[in-house]
Amino acid sequence: MIATWDDATTGVLRLPSGRLVRGRGLRRPLPAGPAPVFGLYLLGHEPPSVAWESRWLRWPDFRLPSDRAAAADALREAWERAGSERVEVACGGGIGRTGTALACLAVLDGVPQGEAVAYVRERYARRAVETPWQRRFVARFP
């Protein structure tokens, strides 16, 4: 059974394949509507528990993931699951780390590495991917 997002939902990014992923900031209230089926949380500390399946990726604010191999694995899982499930990617503010992760998902979905940041800024948040090292991370994402 397919349980994906409505692409009119706030924070939802449509990837070229049609996959939908919701990005959001955890410091804001949970948006109205259906809950995620899977959440990928990008924080420097363990996130609060949620009622859906989730994965925590240690990723300090304004930085890069602490474990790049774990990040690649977690992002691949999120991309794969977004084909049939409501996947949410979130950090504290929903811009830097979340935007970086969404740009990596765009790369996995076929967007060229050099265009992925612009893709996410145009379709998700114009300030997404906040630091030069986050942009480099996307440009070098496997």
Side-chain angles (χ1 to χ4, degrees):
M1 175 170 186
I2 304 252
T4 63
W5 299 108
D6 175 343
D7 62 357
T9 302
T10 301
V12 170
L13 172 70
R14 177 177 288 278
L15 296 169
S17 67
R19 283 177 165 87
L20 301 171
V21 181
R22 180 173 77 184
R24 76 175 179 103
L26 294 170
R27 290 191 294 264
R28 295 186 198 103
L30 184 66
V37 173
F38 175 74
L40 177 58
Y41 300 108
L42 319 168
L43 297 167
H45 54 84
E46 191 167 357
S49 63
V50 291
W52 48 87
E53 190 178 348
S54 66
R55 185 168 176 179
W56 168 45
L57 184 59
R58 185 182 300 276
W59 191 330
D61 202 8
F62 296 105
R63 296 226 159 123
L64 296 175
S66 298
D67 182 334
R68 310 272 172 96
D73 182 59
L75 291 165
R76 278 189 189 87
E77 179 183 3
W79 177 80
E80 288 171 6
R81 294 181 75 154
S84 62
E85 297 175 0
R86 284 187 304 276
V87 172
E88 158 175 281
V89 176
C91 65
I95 301 295
R97 294 168 286 182
T98 297
T100 302
L102 292 174
C104 291
L105 295 180
V107 169
L108 290 172
D109 207 61
V111 175
Q113 293 162 316
E115 298 172 21
V117 171
Y119 184 90
V120 170
R121 285 179 174 172
E122 181 180 320
R123 292 165 176 81
Y124 171 70
R126 66 179 178 80
R127 291 181 23 245
V129 193
E130 294 177 302
T131 68
W133 40 93
Q134 289 172 340
R135 287 191 297 275
R136 256 192 321 276
F137 182 77
V138 174
R140 296 175 181 163
F141 187 71

